[in-house]
Amino acid sequence: MSSESRTAVVIPAAGRGVRLGPGAPKALRALNGTPMLIHAVRAMAASRAVSLVVVVAPPEGAAEVKTLLADHALPERTDFLVVPGGESRQESVRAGLDALPPGIDIVLVHDAARPLVPVDTVDGVIEAVRDGAPAVVPALPLADTVKQVEPAATPGEPERVVATPERARLRAVQTPQGFDRATLARAHESVTDNVTDDASMVEQLGLPVVVVPGHEEAFKVTRPLDLVLAEAVLARRRANDGF
């Protein structure tokens, strides 16, 4: 794949984010006074390789998201598009894929709930796809030992450990995940299982998925404590970078 390959990002942002509690959809929650979605869009558009960002909005909230993007300063070299999403994350990513124009060769799929991904991580994923990988995921080694358990019949009850996977062989996967466009389109056409990430759909096609280094600041904002951590990261960046 040539260095002239054009890259688009699809950001599925149609979910409600129930674990953060009631209120606005998670992607529209404010982080340091700016909606998390805007931080995520800026993080993707910070890469000079990204020419288009497609935001997949809640079906009833597409107009609100369009207004949101128009109200915030975004890089002029990047095009932005808002399309309505579906019931599941998979349907929403598919809607974003269907909205891509011709001439896009590389597609990144990024969680709106990962607002602080450094541009080096975005560029590293794109570079690995350009170098020929059909699917690329940024990931980190695990700090914790992981146990496989037999789920309890009643939530909150003790669970029996059935195995301890070798930690050195495990990775915690982040986004943006990067794909050759044709590969991702094929995965969405042929894999119907409800999966938690797009790379596992490519795995089901029997194609290789490679891991590149992720970043500790690419964490997912899921619970209230994550919001506190994200605010702290932004405060440190402002102190270091003066923005």
Side-chain angles (χ1 to χ4, degrees):
M1 196 166 285
S2 77
S3 60
E4 298 305 307
S5 306
R6 293 184 65 221
T7 300
V9 182
V10 174
I11 302 181
R16 291 218 61 83
V18 290
R19 279 176 291 186
L20 272 176
K26 179 162 59 176
L28 305 184
R29 296 291 180 92
L31 183 57
N32 197 37
T34 300
M36 208 167 0
L37 175 62
I38 297 297
H39 287 286
V41 167
R42 284 176 177 161
M44 296 300 102
S47 170
R48 294 188 171 276
V50 171
S51 56
L52 170 67
V53 176
V54 179
V55 178
V56 187
E60 70 289 349
E64 181 187 356
V65 171
K66 280 181 187 170
T67 303
L68 201 65
L69 292 183
D71 287 348
H72 289 83
L74 299 169
E76 290 184 9
R77 66 170 182 271
T78 311
D79 292 329
F80 300 92
L81 188 61
V82 178
V83 298
E87 284 297 307
S88 69
R89 184 183 188 279
Q90 223 166 322
E91 288 172 14
S92 292
V93 172
R94 179 71 182 266
L97 268 178
D98 289 346
L100 296 180
I104 297 290
D105 305 297
I106 297 173
V107 181
L108 305 188
V109 181
H110 183 57
D111 295 332
R114 295 183 191 269
L116 304 175
V117 181
V119 69
D120 287 354
T121 303
V122 182
D123 288 340
V125 170
I126 294 169
E127 200 59 42
V129 181
R130 277 186 183 158
D131 286 346
V136 179
V137 296
L140 292 175
L142 296 181
D144 299 320
T145 296
V146 174
K147 300 287 185 188
Q148 184 180 341
V149 301
E150 191 65 50
T154 307
E157 288 291 305
E159 297 173 320
R160 190 172 72 84
V161 170
V162 294
T164 303
E166 187 185 342
R167 189 171 70 184
R169 296 173 66 90
L170 300 176
R171 297 291 180 269
V173 171
Q174 303 175 322
T175 70
Q177 299 185 354
F179 305 89
D180 164 69
R181 179 183 181 171
T183 299
L184 185 59
R186 194 176 130 212
H188 273 269
E189 282 161 12
S190 55
V191 177
T192 53
D193 301 347
N194 194 15
V195 293
T196 56
D197 77 340
D198 296 271
S200 57
M201 298 173 75
V202 175
E203 286 172 51
Q204 288 187 42
L205 296 180
L207 294 172
V209 176
V210 303
V211 168
V212 297
H215 196 282
E216 59 184 9
E217 291 181 3
F219 63 89
K220 193 171 188 179
V221 177
T222 304
R223 297 174 176 84
L225 185 59
D226 301 325
L227 279 171
V228 176
L229 182 56
E231 295 271 7
V233 170
L234 283 171
R236 194 187 70 205
R237 286 185 184 178
R238 277 199 312 276
N240 291 345
D241 304 336
F243 79 89

